[in-house]
Amino acid sequence: MKTSQVATFGSWKSPITSDLIVSKTIGIGGIAINNEDIYWLEKRPQEKGRSSIVACFGDKPKAMATRRGIKNITPPGLSVRTKVHEYGGGAYAVAQDTLYFSNYADGRIYQQVLDRQPQPLTNKIHQRYADIVVDSHRNRLICVCEDREQQDAEAKNILVTIDLITGKIQTLVEGDDFYSSPRLSRDGKQLAWLSWNHPHMPWDSTYLWVANLNDAGVIDRPKLVAGGEEESICEPKWSNDGRLYFSSDRTNWWNLYRRNINGSIEILHQMAAEFAYPHWVFGLSTYGFIGGDRLICTYSADGSWHLGMIDLTTKQLETIKTRYTNISDLQASESGFVVFVGGTPTETSAVVKLDLDNRKEQILKRTGDLTIDPGYLALPEAIAFPTADDLTAHGWYYPPTNQDYSAPTDELPPLIVKSHGGPTAAASVDLNLRVQYWTSRGFGYLDVNYGGSIGYGRQYRQRLDGKWGIVDVEDCVNGAKYLVDRVQVDGDRLVITGSSAGGYTTLAALTFRDTFKAGASYYGVSDLEILAKDTHKFESRYLDRLIGKYPEDKAIYQERSPIYHVQQLNCPVIFFQGLEDKVVPPNQAEMMFSSIKEKGLPAAYVAFEQEAHGFRIADNIKKALDSEFYFYSQIFGFEPAEAIEPIEIINLK
């Protein structure tokens, strides 16, 4: 039996290195099914974050060699990604042997017949496109268009058609601030779509519309069929029999509904679970149809995702047992199989094909072709802990785990508290090597689902209304204190980290509370007032609900902005920032760093060219991860087991 080496927490040598993470892993998503062929997107840090369409072609005896097995479709030099709403999604569609996709560099739609080179279909570089739907009845595309022709004005969002022969663009629907999810009925005679308006976000308030399409494809008699000021509608989809299905949170939970031919609406299966995600990006999919009598879906309960089947006649739900705790991008085939991205706490996420009749599973592609000994992997523990106002908050705790090491008996581990982005998002429990990077070196890690997170109903999401910078901070603080009280972590070595909105929570917790001893902000917000005045259209009124109206509530914005209260911050902070970020511009990090530096506190600022909101380039991901680790080693005084390239830490004594 192997004897573990005794070493202080933080100094454990781990096989989960930053090089392993960036060289062996990719991102996957955006699944589409075309007959028996399966497509997905791969985001490749090794190719400077380029996104490429990949296909797994079905078994066709007469198919040419290029149509067998798994093949890369997108040629080098092109990246399948859209910047609509800055977050993108829904960047491609496939019909027969042709793909239609948005290219990231120029925003144009390209048309690619398989086995040929892509050709540009549109030429207006001031327009961006997303949520692409092929209208084969009229030889055109229907999609969301974000028009940015007026440089000094807010972008204009509309639904448009694009002629597949001429590339001519025509407006189909306009008048609202935002649109998403144009969905064509199977016979091509009806179109459904979602819209919403400032100051709402799509998880707060959306409207579901249905209209007839005449022979020329023009909208006729649009009708509002669901939604409202306090109802979020997601994912409209048409079944073969002409009924419209969608998710609504009108009963607190995003449950599935259907609109019958006579116009009546009924809930499909009522359950205290979420059958949808917040629509930060286009093209999300959590359900599909199998034949004419079954609906396959994924739903979230108690923080984990499950696979289910609903009989469309009896409306009974059957849970399909799988090992997956995170299921996304679900697409169904009429022939009886489903494809999704599945993740577990111990395996890299994968594109999974599941035959629903015999329950036979096939892994088509993993995010990483690597095997890690389970002895180095920390398993998540669901925790529920008391927080402010006699409420309960949730999180996932990962203990320090490395089969080669143990710590001195009188030492407790440092804790990293993660505040997820969004803030309307959630912590996931599928294998995240960036989490394991920390736990295998001797850190505890708490991923907090603070009030405002998804997965616990609309009321839990609304805890953050008017209280961003308060509820999220309280929950992160109380989660850390909960583990300290249980004598699981060292109360003198508590760290908080987060990106984007999570970066704001990080800076607010460090400024307004004295619980944490260090922090790392990834493109986080330091000045809410500047964010309200200087961000993109999609989120330009987000803070109305989270903070208050601007400028009417200017005092509240300043009261909760860390930049105005640096005198209260008394611990080291490291900042990471993409210099091309349009969501949270670099000045947010630069102002805070400058103020902390002038105060004499240890601080570091690591900026990356060619990075926007979220890092995609392998070298930058590696540098950020290692730099954060180096920063903590210098602050807490432990020696890393491996050599790390130093960074400059201002005021380090």
Side-chain angles (χ1 to χ4, degrees):
M1 182 176 179
K2 185 177 180 180
T3 303
S4 61
Q5 179 180 343
V6 177
T8 186
F9 290 113
S11 66
W12 299 353
K13 185 176 179 60
S14 169
I16 305 172
T17 63
S18 57
D19 283 320
L20 176 78
I21 293 171
V22 300
S23 66
K24 298 291 186 180
T25 61
I26 58 173
I28 53 177
I31 294 172
I33 297 176
N34 182 44
N35 298 320
E36 298 299 306
D37 301 331
I38 300 166
Y39 296 80
W40 63 86
L41 277 176
E42 292 187 2
K43 182 172 65 178
R44 301 167 176 170
Q46 305 85 355
E47 298 179 28
K48 296 185 177 181
R50 188 174 82 94
S51 291
S52 174
I53 299 172
V54 177
C56 177
F57 292 110
D59 186 16
K60 305 181 187 71
K62 296 182 180 180
M64 61 183 73
T66 55
R67 301 281 185 88
R68 295 194 184 111
I70 296 177
K71 303 292 182 181
N72 288 311
I73 304 299
T74 311
L78 296 174
S79 181
V80 181
R81 185 180 164 199
T82 173
K83 292 191 283 187
V84 178
H85 292 178
E86 299 300 331
Y87 297 107
Y92 80 99
V94 57
Q96 301 307 319
D97 286 345
T98 306
L99 291 135
Y100 307 92
F101 65 88
S102 166
N103 179 48
Y104 180 69
D106 56 18
R108 300 165 74 183
I109 295 287
Y110 283 69
Q111 179 173 296
Q112 181 180 10
V113 178
L114 290 177
D115 307 314
R116 299 182 189 175
Q117 287 296 306
Q119 301 297 323
L121 181 63
T122 62
N123 56 23
K124 293 186 177 181
I125 60 174
H126 61 268
Q127 291 185 339
R128 303 170 176 179
Y129 310 94
D131 235 343
I132 303 168
V133 174
V134 181
D135 182 359
S136 58
H137 302 275
R138 301 169 184 87
N139 205 30
R140 65 182 186 176
L141 302 179
I142 300 174
C143 59
V144 175
C145 174
E146 186 175 84
D147 193 314
R148 308 175 67 84
E149 185 173 13
Q150 301 297 323
Q151 296 293 322
D152 298 328
E154 185 177 69
K156 182 180 180 181
N157 292 71
I158 53 179
L159 292 182
V160 301
T161 64
I162 304 173
D163 189 282
L164 293 180
I165 302 300
T166 65
K168 182 180 179 180
I169 299 170
Q170 291 185 309
T171 298
L172 190 64
V173 182
E174 63 180 335
D176 287 319
D177 290 325
F178 300 98
Y179 293 93
S180 76
S181 310
R183 298 296 180 259
L184 196 64
S185 62
R186 301 298 178 95
D187 60 8
K189 295 181 179 180
Q190 295 184 89
L191 183 73
W193 69 91
L194 296 174
S195 72
W196 67 98
N197 290 291
H198 288 314
H200 299 298
M201 301 300 287
W203 46 86
D204 297 322
S205 167
T206 45
Y207 295 87
L208 174 60
W209 300 86
V210 172
N212 295 325
L213 291 174
N214 63 23
D215 292 341
V218 177
I219 291 291
D220 181 31
R221 297 191 302 274
K223 182 178 181 180
L224 178 65
V225 299
E229 289 292 296
E230 290 297 323
E231 181 180 4
S232 172
I233 306 291
C234 301
E235 286 188 62
K237 292 184 180 181
W238 297 92
S239 62
N240 280 336
D241 62 3
R243 289 192 281 188
L244 181 63
Y245 289 72
F246 58 92
S247 294
S248 168
D249 66 355
R250 60 181 64 177
T251 61
N252 185 46
W253 301 89
W254 269 315
N255 281 187
L256 290 168
Y257 292 76
R258 67 182 170 199
R259 181 176 184 260
N260 296 308
I261 303 300
N262 63 9
S264 64
I265 292 177
E266 61 179 330
I267 192 167
L268 200 58
H269 183 84
Q270 188 161 358
M271 189 174 176
E274 304 278 36
F275 287 76
Y277 301 93
H279 275 214
W280 279 101
V281 298
F282 296 97
L284 296 175
S285 180
T286 60
Y287 71 96
F289 302 100
I290 301 293
D293 58 354
R294 293 182 296 171
L295 180 147
I296 185 78
C297 59
T298 180
Y299 62 90
S300 173
D302 301 321
S304 292
W305 287 86
H306 309 268
L307 195 64
M309 182 102 70
I310 298 178
D311 185 304
L312 295 179
T313 302
T314 66
K315 299 195 290 187
Q316 293 300 305
L317 172 70
E318 171 198 357
T319 298
I320 299 173
K321 292 184 178 180
T322 74
R323 66 181 185 277
Y324 300 105
T325 53
N326 193 44
I327 301 172
S328 61
D329 287 291
L330 183 148
Q331 297 287 347
S333 168
E334 297 288 351
S335 59
F337 67 85
V338 63
V339 184
F340 56 85
V341 176
T344 79
T346 57
E347 299 171 286
T348 52
S349 296
V351 178
V352 181
K353 179 182 179 182
L354 178 65
D355 189 304
L356 293 172
D357 292 327
N358 58 27
R359 305 295 163 90
K360 183 179 179 181
E361 176 190 297
Q362 181 183 1
I363 302 296
L364 302 181
K365 184 65 176 287
R366 287 196 177 277
T367 55
D369 294 324
L370 69 166
T371 302
I372 299 173
D373 191 304
Y376 298 105
L377 298 178
L379 297 179
E381 171 195 350
I383 65 171
F385 51 89
T387 190
D389 299 322
D390 296 322
L391 297 172
T392 298
H394 302 272
W396 296 96
Y397 175 62
Y398 299 79
T401 306
N402 187 318
Q403 63 184 5
D404 299 331
Y405 291 91
S406 61
T409 56
D410 60 347
E411 184 183 2
L412 290 171
L415 174 71
I416 295 176
V417 172
K418 170 68 179 298
S419 173
H420 64 68
T424 310
S428 171
V429 292
D430 52 334
L431 178 62
N432 185 334
L433 292 180
R434 298 188 201 186
V435 173
Q436 304 295 336
Y437 174 97
W438 296 105
T439 55
S440 61
R441 284 167 171 74
F443 286 78
Y445 197 98
L446 175 62
D447 212 345
V448 182
N449 276 326
Y450 50 80
S453 303
I454 65 162
Y456 306 92
R458 184 181 178 96
Q459 292 176 6
Y460 194 85
R461 293 202 312 272
Q462 291 182 326
R463 285 188 189 180
L464 212 56
D465 288 358
K467 296 183 178 180
W468 192 32
I470 298 175
V471 166
D472 47 326
V473 170
E474 288 284 359
D475 290 353
C476 287
V477 166
N478 287 322
K481 288 182 175 180
Y482 177 77
L483 293 174
V484 171
D485 291 343
R486 289 172 63 178
V487 199
Q488 289 184 268
V489 299
D490 185 350
D492 291 326
R493 291 190 292 174
L494 301 178
V495 173
I496 185 168
T497 183
S499 59
S500 189
Y504 166 67
T505 301
T506 293
L507 294 174
L510 294 171
T511 302
F512 301 120
R513 304 297 293 270
D514 59 3
T515 304
F516 299 101
K517 309 307 177 185
S521 171
Y522 284 74
Y523 37 95
V525 178
S526 62
D527 190 329
L528 294 169
E529 188 177 4
I530 288 181
L531 183 67
K533 295 187 293 185
D534 182 24
T535 192
H536 58 129
K537 178 183 177 181
F538 180 59
E539 294 184 87
S540 63
R541 300 288 299 279
Y542 190 15
L543 301 190
D544 283 26
R545 195 173 187 116
L546 296 176
I547 303 291
K549 291 184 178 181
Y550 187 85
E552 294 92 325
D553 295 315
K554 180 177 180 178
I556 299 176
Y557 279 73
Q558 293 184 352
E559 178 185 327
R560 294 192 203 163
S561 293
I563 191 64
Y564 289 102
H565 306 278
V566 176
Q567 72 278 6
Q568 295 178 231
L569 194 154
N570 293 296
C571 66
V573 188
I574 184 170
F575 297 85
F576 299 92
Q577 181 68 46
L579 296 181
E580 295 183 8
D581 195 336
K582 304 300 182 185
V583 178
V584 180
N587 61 347
Q588 292 274 354
E590 291 163 358
M591 291 187 304
M592 195 73 183
F593 171 69
S594 177
S595 296
I596 294 174
K597 180 175 66 174
E598 291 178 7
K599 190 177 179 182
L601 292 170
Y605 176 57
V606 182
F608 299 110
E609 297 180 353
Q610 299 181 315
E611 292 285 14
H613 198 65
F615 303 155
R616 291 172 172 263
I617 300 172
D619 288 346
N620 298 340
I621 296 170
K622 169 183 167 58
K623 182 175 178 61
L625 197 55
D626 287 342
S627 296
E628 186 179 352
F629 183 40
Y630 176 81
F631 185 77
Y632 298 151
S633 73
Q634 297 302 298
I635 299 303
F636 293 126
F638 61 81
E639 187 70 28
E642 58 271 280
I644 300 177
E645 181 181 352
I647 58 168
E648 182 183 15
I649 303 175
I650 303 296
N651 300 324
L652 182 67
K653 298 178 181 179

